[in-house]
């Protein structure tokens, strides 16, 4: 249970107190808001258009060539990932706007692209951000027996080659969300006590909402294309799966390369449920940045190449991560704490693959100093 796992609040707190003061002063001295601005509005429009323009071109008969239709679905996959990374993500962290209604509305885009805003906020905000890389708590490192993301998980023979087949399963990740995972999560979170008492909506209302949004999603992404597109139904289904594969692959590569890395630690609580380090230091030990110099890549993935900044300040809009990254890095170094960063995304993926291979070969895995 969440209440059984505790971080030491008063131990080594100087780092986060100092860091928060410096970041706060950064925004104050530059007279800027920690929320999004016109750049976020523009990005939102671009990502939505990247998803809905290809769809509209197909549905209205402007695009009829089979090969071009396939390209349209691929673009929708990129748009789907872009919405998730650059728009919905900030909104569901209440970092997009100071207005709660705007955050709720844009956060609901998760449902429009096949997911569930309710489940996402519980899995990501409550479990992943609170207990990053903690076995049994962080569901981002709990893919089932098919993959081994933590040295505290049981190792099977098939894991020896997981660094080869992982990429396929990354691609089918969002398909699982769209068809089964969201339903299973909702019931599990209710059992864990993460819904009743934590959400104004009743469980029945949440089930009804999930069912209605799923039906709407299946209708506009599967049923209508099968009816209206000139391609055979089976090819439309393949295109739909391709869209999800593109989105899932992008999303999984971004998030897993930030936490399942050779430098990552996997802390376990003691018998009383106490973790060794406070929450902020825990984030530094379990998180990795990558591609700090890539402006276009960073723009597309919603600044999530600055995962350390995101984990320490999830309520700050991602457009500000680069500007505060030097503050975070210098403060961490000042306190003798790690600031793990990969020079580019290719290097990050290679090291992630290396970590998968290590986890597949050895029962015990110790973090490697950067």
């Amino acid at each position: 249970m969440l209440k059984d796992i505790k971080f030491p609040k008063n131990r080594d707190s100087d780092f986060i107190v100092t860091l928060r003061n410096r970041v706060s002063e950064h925004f104050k001295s530059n007279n800027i808001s920690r929320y999004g601005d016109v750049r976020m509005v523009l990005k939102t429009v671009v990502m939505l258009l990247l998803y809905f323009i290809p769809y509209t071109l197909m549905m209205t008969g402007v695009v009829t060539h089979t090969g071009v239709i396939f390209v349209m679905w691929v673009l929708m996959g990129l748009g789907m990932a872009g919405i998730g990374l650059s728009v919905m993500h900030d909104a569901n962290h209440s970092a997009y706007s100071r207005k709660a209604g705007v955050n709720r509305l844009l956060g609901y885009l998760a449902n429009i692209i096949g997911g569930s805003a309710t489940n996402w906020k519980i899995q990501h905000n409550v479990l992943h951000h609170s207990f990053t890389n903690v076995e049994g708590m962080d569901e981002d490192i709990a893919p089932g027996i098919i993959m081994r993301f933590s040295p505290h998980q049981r190792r099977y023979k098939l894991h020896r080659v997981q660094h080869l087949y992982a990429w396929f399963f990354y691609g089918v990740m969002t398909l699982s969300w769209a068809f089964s995972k969201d339903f299973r999560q909702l019931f599990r979170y209710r059992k864990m006590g993460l819904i009743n008492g934590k959400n104004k909506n009743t469980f029945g209302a949440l089930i009804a909402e999930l069912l209605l949004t799923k039906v709407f999603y299946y209708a506009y992404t599967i049923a209508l294309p099968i009816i209206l597109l000139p391609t055979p139904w089976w090819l439309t289904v393949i295109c739909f799966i391709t869209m999800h594969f593109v989105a899932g692959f992008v999303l999984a590569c971004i998030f897993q390369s930030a936490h399942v890395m050779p430098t990552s630690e996997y802390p376990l609580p003691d018998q009383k449920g106490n973790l060794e380090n406070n929450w902020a230091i825990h984030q530094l030990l379990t998180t990795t940045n990558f591609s700090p110099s890539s402006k276009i890549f960073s723009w597309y993935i919603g600044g999530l190449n600055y995962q350390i900044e995101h984990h320490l300040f999830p309520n700050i809009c991602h457009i500000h991560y680069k500007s505060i990254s030097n503050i975070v890095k210098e403060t961490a170094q000042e306190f003798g704490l790690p600031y793990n960063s990969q020079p580019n995304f290719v290097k990050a993926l290679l090291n992630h693959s290396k970590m998968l291979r290590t986890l597949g070969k050895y029962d015990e895995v110790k973090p490697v100093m950067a």
Side-chain angles (χ1 to χ4, degrees), residues 108 111 118 186 195-196 199-213:
Y108 204 73
N111 295 65
T118 298
L186 201 57
I195 293 178
N196 291 340
N199 195 301
K200 293 181 180 179
N201 298 313
T202 63
F203 181 71
L206 290 175
I207 286 290
E209 177 188 89
L210 185 60
L211 285 171
L212 287 173
T213 55

Side-chain angles (χ1 to χ4, degrees), residues 95-238:
Y96 188 105
S97 170
R98 63 174 68 253
K99 297 180 180 179
V102 173
N103 289 323
R104 282 196 298 271
L105 178 63
L106 294 177
Y108 204 73
L109 285 171
N111 295 65
I112 303 302
I113 58 176
S116 165
T118 298
N119 286 339
W120 190 92
K121 285 187 281 189
I122 294 174
Q123 176 179 338
H124 189 76
N125 296 0
V126 178
L127 299 177
H128 173 64
H129 270 267
S130 298
F131 306 102
T132 312
N133 280 13
V134 176
E135 176 64 20
M137 300 300 294
D138 183 359
E139 292 190 356
D140 281 16
I141 59 166
I145 64 171
I146 198 68
M147 299 286 295
R148 186 177 189 241
F149 283 161
S150 166
H152 307 302
Q153 295 165 353
R154 182 176 177 180
R155 186 171 63 89
Y156 294 93
K157 288 184 178 180
L158 78 163
H159 293 149
R160 287 182 172 270
V161 291
Q162 68 172 357
H163 60 291
L164 300 177
Y165 65 70
W167 316 101
F168 168 78
F169 286 100
Y170 287 173
V172 299
M173 177 183 71
T174 58
L175 274 172
S176 172
W177 291 349
F179 288 100
S180 62
K181 186 176 180 179
D182 277 330
F183 294 100
R184 289 184 280 109
Q185 278 188 322
L186 201 57
F187 281 95
R188 184 168 69 252
Y189 292 155
R190 183 194 188 193
K191 187 176 181 181
M192 293 171 65
L194 297 174
I195 293 178
N196 291 340
K198 298 289 185 180
N199 195 301
K200 293 181 180 179
N201 298 313
T202 63
F203 181 71
L206 290 175
I207 286 290
E209 177 188 89
L210 185 60
L211 285 171
L212 287 173
T213 55
K214 292 295 185 184
V215 169
F216 172 75
Y217 180 72
Y218 302 150
Y220 91 82
T221 59
I222 301 176
L224 279 179
I226 286 177
I227 294 171
L228 298 178
L229 293 185
T231 53
W233 70 266
W234 55 267
L235 186 56
T236 298
V237 171
I238 290 175

Side-chain angles (χ1 to χ4, degrees), residues 221-263:
T221 59
I222 301 176
L224 279 179
I226 286 177
I227 294 171
L228 298 178
L229 293 185
T231 53
W233 70 266
W234 55 267
L235 186 56
T236 298
V237 171
I238 290 175
C239 288
F240 172 82
I241 293 172
T242 299
M243 175 188 71
H244 269 279
F245 191 91
V246 170
F249 187 81
V250 171
L251 291 167
C253 286
I254 296 300
F255 285 109
Q256 296 306 332
S257 294
H259 302 290
V260 183
M261 297 289 281
T263 54

Side-chain angles (χ1 to χ4, degrees), residues 305-332:
N305 51 321
Y306 295 101
Q307 279 280 338
I308 294 173
E309 286 69 25
H310 171 59
H311 269 255
L312 291 174
F313 298 98
N315 60 347
I316 291 178
C317 184
H318 75 261
I319 61 175
H320 304 295
Y321 290 163
K322 181 174 178 59
S323 65
I324 67 172
S325 62
N326 286 334
I327 300 174
V328 176
K329 181 178 181 179
E330 291 171 3
T331 306

Side-chain angles (χ1 to χ4, degrees), residues 148 150-152 261-266 285 354-355 358-359 362-369:
R148 186 177 189 241
S150 166
H152 307 302
M261 297 289 281
T263 54
S264 298
E265 294 194 13
Y266 295 83
L285 296 174
K354 179 180 179 181
M355 183 61 173
T358 301
L359 286 166
Y362 305 104
D363 290 330
E364 296 184 9
V365 178
K366 294 183 179 180
V368 177
M369 296 297 292

